[in-house]
Amino acid sequence: MHHIRRGTGKPLLLIHGLGGHWQSWNPILADLATRREVIAVDLPGFGQTPRLAGETSIRTLADETAAFLHANGLSGIDAVGSSMGARLVLELARRGGSVGGVVALNPGGFWQGWERHAFFSSIYLSIRLLRLLRPVLPAICANPLGRALLLAQFSARPTRLAPDTVSDELCSYVASPAFDELLAELAYGEEQQGAPRNSIAHPLVIGWGRRDRVCFPRQAARALALFPDAQLHWFDRCGHFPHWDAPAQTVELILSALAGARTDAAAGLSHEHHAQRRTEQRGKIGALGPSLIHAKDNQ
C-alpha cells in the first residue's frame, strides 16, 4: 500500500475518503507532523495503490489496512479517517487490535431510507460531470466561482480553499479505478456494524460538520447509537471536510483527543464523574467551543 511518512513522534495513520489519496490531508499534514509521525496512505484502488484483485468494500479495505499495519509493525497505531476513511477507522476500532485511538471525521454509512439514494445519486452524477470536465478541471478550480460550483456539496467555504488542493482532489476522483464499485458498495452494500458499550478501550471521537450535505448531521445520532463509547464533536460552519474548512480546529481536536486516555463512556464512570471530566476536557481544548460531547448528551 503506497504511503508517505512525515514528522517525528508517536505514529498517526491518516485514511482518505472515497476517491481521494494521501494528498487529501495536505491542509493539516504539516501541522500534525510537528507533533506526530504522520503516515498517510493511498487505499487500494486510489492514488498510487493498485486496486484489489477481487471485491472492493469496507470489509476488504479494512482487511488490507489491517494487514498493512501488521506488516509494518504499526498495529495499535492511532488513526484518523475522513468520510469513507472515517467509516473505515470505525470498522477497525470495532474489530480491535489494529488501531488505538480513533478520530472519525464525517463518517459515511449511517444513512437511512431516502438518504442513501440521495448520497448515491448526487455523487454518481457529480463524478460523471467531473469526468467530462477532466481536461479543464485545473482551470476551473483556479477560479473561486468554479470551486464554489464544484464543491457546493462538500465544503461550507469552497472559495477559501487552495486551488491546488481542490484540483488534486477532484482529479483523484476521476482517476480512481475503484470509485464506481465502492460508491455502490457504500450506498447499498453491507451496513456498518457497531460495537457494544465498554468494548473499545481507546479514545474514540466522531467529528461532524454542521453543514455537511453529503452525510447529513442527523446521521451523527445513529453513529453514536452504534458506537456508544464514542464522543461527538460538532464543527460549526463546516461541511463534509472539516480538515479543509477548519484545519486549525481539526488539528487541535486530533491532537487533544488522541493525547487522552480511555474515554469516560468506555470507562463506565458515574454521571457526576463524567460531568467533571467533561468540564476538564473543555478547558483543555479551549477555543474549540462546544468540544467533545458525550453520546448520552446527544441522544
Side-chain angles (χ1 to χ4, degrees), residues 16-204:
H16 60 78
L18 175 64
H21 50 176
W22 73 260
Q23 292 94 330
S24 303
W25 298 102
N26 273 340
I28 65 171
L29 190 62
D31 287 339
L32 287 175
T34 64
R35 299 274 295 278
R36 306 289 293 261
E37 181 190 15
V38 177
I39 301 168
V41 300
D42 287 340
L43 291 171
F46 304 96
Q48 297 183 50
T49 302
R51 69 178 304 170
L52 298 174
E55 168 191 303
T56 301
S57 65
I58 291 295
R59 178 181 57 81
T60 59
L61 292 179
D63 291 343
E64 287 295 313
T65 304
F68 165 79
L69 295 176
H70 177 74
N72 287 275
L74 295 170
S75 296
I77 189 174
D78 291 340
V80 180
S82 168
S83 188
M84 178 201 71
R87 180 177 173 184
L88 182 55
V89 296
L90 287 175
E91 171 62 14
L92 292 171
R94 184 191 70 82
R95 294 183 180 190
S98 294
V99 296
V102 161
V103 175
L105 301 172
N106 294 61
F110 297 100
W111 29 71
Q112 292 181 357
W114 66 268
E115 295 170 349
R116 72 174 69 246
H117 305 308
F119 163 75
F120 178 82
S121 299
S122 62
I123 303 301
Y124 178 90
L125 293 174
S126 294
I127 190 63
R128 272 145 187 78
L129 175 61
L130 291 177
R131 287 168 181 164
L132 290 174
L133 296 175
R134 174 64 183 90
V136 293
L137 269 181
I140 295 174
C141 293
N143 185 291
L145 179 58
R147 295 195 297 278
L149 293 173
L150 291 178
L151 287 178
Q153 187 178 6
F154 291 93
S155 172
R157 306 174 181 181
T159 60
R160 300 185 183 183
L161 301 178
D164 289 346
T165 296
V166 176
S167 178
D168 286 348
E169 184 78 359
L170 297 184
C171 288
S172 176
Y173 295 173
V174 171
S176 168
F179 191 101
D180 290 351
E181 180 185 5
L182 195 50
L183 173 62
E185 173 67 25
L186 286 169
Y188 301 112
E190 182 179 354
E191 294 190 357
Q192 179 62 51
Q193 300 178 52
R197 187 179 297 277
N198 298 331
S199 65
I200 297 178
H202 301 285
L204 176 60

